[in-house]
Amino acid sequence: MVEELVTAGVALASVGAVYLVAAARVVKQYERGVVLRLGRLASEVRGPGFTMIVPGIDRMRKVNMQIVTMPVPAQEGITRDNVTVRVDAVVYFKVVDAADAVIRVEDYRFAVSQMAQTSLRSIIGKSELDDLLSNREKLNQGLELMMDSPAIGWGVTVDRVEIKDVSLPETMKRSMARQAEATRDRRARVINADAELQASKKLAEAAEAMSDQPAALQLRLLQTVVAVAAEKNSTLVLPFPVELLRFLERSGLQAQAETAAAEAERGAARRPAGPAKPGVSRAAVEGGEGGAPPPELEDLPDAEDLS
């Protein structure tokens, strides 16, 4: 009798232990337990901790309530300005209602992934290339709104959507590089022209100030020579003012004119005298106005003695 009682007690304890193992469940802090009893949703969602279900009748599904990071595969599309691009993104979402996430959608992760891809392709078609490259914050907000509206009915809320990368064709990259280079070149030329304009105004004011004092121009020339010589160059370039060159040119022309006039006067002085006029004696020709012969002719005999 005692043995039978002991055997029954052991069997009952074994059944109780098996039942306890089959019915015991542990829900973690970041999870919630959704219990389906005979296929119907139980009224209460099990919180974190130890809980019991009826084995064979109840089926409990644990739902993760943490924020899930899901990468969106790269989607290729044509923008509104007819440029083919590839865009990939990342979605941050979490479950706010465990019962809806189990009952209303078969696989909420797969559903969110497909919805993210569809929304991303839609955003690509509605946007221009410049918006994809420089106005991503606005596009991220648009993606979040597009995904959050249907996800609320699944017990899921989209926390954030970020566009990670925009891939462009190589030809488009080269075109954008040339455009940026041309824009920077134009900006540099405009800045250079503006600097030249300001410098010309300052130089005009300086020239006007130096014109009142001619020595200021010479001092400026000497300062330029000192600045060039300070570099220890082997060749020294000495600039000449234009006014100095003009002065030298005028001086040269004047000297040439004076030389030509002097040569003309010397040529006129060397020209031989013409024949003697009738009635003028030889003595007058040879002796000049006084009729006296020159000293070298005084010793010659007269014409009567020679006859």
Side-chain angles (χ1 to χ4, degrees):
M1 185 66 183
V2 176
E3 294 179 357
E4 293 178 357
L5 291 176
V6 172
T7 304
V10 171
L12 186 60
S14 301
V15 171
V18 171
Y19 177 82
L20 182 62
V21 171
R25 295 289 186 273
V26 176
V27 180
K28 297 180 182 179
Q29 181 65 38
Y30 55 86
E31 294 178 339
R32 297 294 182 271
V34 179
V35 178
L36 298 177
R37 181 165 296 167
L38 296 177
R40 299 186 63 179
L41 178 65
S43 60
E44 183 181 356
V45 175
R46 306 296 175 87
F50 181 80
T51 184
M52 298 286 293
I53 62 173
V54 179
I57 298 177
D58 294 344
R59 182 179 298 272
M60 187 175 69
R61 182 174 175 180
K62 298 178 182 179
V63 180
N64 193 339
M65 306 296 289
Q66 292 176 317
I67 295 178
V68 180
T69 303
M70 177 180 294
V72 181
Q75 301 297 311
E76 184 173 354
I78 301 176
T79 60
R80 193 166 60 180
D81 50 354
N82 298 324
V83 179
T84 303
V85 295
R86 288 177 60 89
V87 182
D88 57 351
V90 60
V91 182
Y92 301 90
F93 68 94
K94 64 180 179 180
V95 177
V96 293
D97 193 335
D100 290 341
V102 173
I103 301 300
R104 299 200 174 192
V105 63
E106 180 180 4
D107 187 351
Y108 66 89
R109 290 176 178 266
F110 181 74
V112 171
S113 175
Q114 295 299 314
M115 182 179 58
Q117 297 179 33
T118 305
S119 301
L120 184 59
R121 294 179 66 90
S122 178
I123 284 292
I124 293 174
K126 293 180 181 179
S127 305
E128 295 184 356
L129 180 60
D130 294 339
D131 294 334
L132 289 175
L133 296 177
S134 61
N135 198 10
R136 294 189 181 182
E137 190 66 27
K138 183 178 179 181
L139 297 181
N140 293 338
Q141 294 177 1
L143 274 173
E144 183 178 348
L145 291 176
M146 292 179 64
M147 296 178 58
D148 196 43
S149 298
I152 291 178
W154 305 336
V156 177
T157 180
V158 177
D159 187 69
R160 192 172 184 180
V161 182
E162 293 285 345
I163 294 177
K164 292 197 300 183
D165 187 25
V166 178
S167 300
L168 299 175
E170 292 297 329
T171 55
M172 180 57 64
K173 291 181 180 179
R174 289 194 294 269
S175 299
M176 294 177 65
R178 289 196 298 269
Q179 180 183 2
E181 184 178 358
T183 302
R184 292 184 178 275
D185 190 14
R186 177 181 61 85
R187 190 182 305 171
R189 291 185 178 181
V190 170
I191 294 174
N192 191 16
D194 191 12
E196 291 292 338
L197 177 60
Q198 296 179 6
S200 63
K201 292 181 180 179
K202 295 298 182 182
L203 288 175
E205 295 177 1
E208 184 178 358
M210 289 182 180
S211 62
D212 298 336
Q213 297 293 334
L217 184 61
Q218 187 66 21
L219 292 176
R220 182 58 183 164
L221 176 60
L222 295 177
Q223 290 178 359
T224 304
V225 173
V226 171
V228 174
E231 298 294 334
K232 299 181 179 179
N233 296 324
S234 59
T235 303
L236 178 61
V237 179
L238 183 61
F240 285 95
V242 178
E243 291 78 5
L244 180 60
L245 296 179
R246 290 177 180 174
F247 173 75
L248 295 176
E249 183 180 1
R250 288 195 298 269
S251 300
L253 293 176
Q254 185 176 1
Q256 291 179 1
E258 292 177 356
T259 303
E263 290 179 355
E265 292 178 358
R266 285 196 297 269
R270 292 174 183 175
R271 189 176 301 165
K277 296 181 180 180
V280 180
S281 63
R282 176 175 177 272
V285 174
E286 294 178 353
E289 296 179 355
E296 59 271 12
L297 298 179
E298 290 180 354
D299 296 336
L300 294 178
D302 295 336
E304 296 176 356
D305 296 339
L306 292 177
S307 61

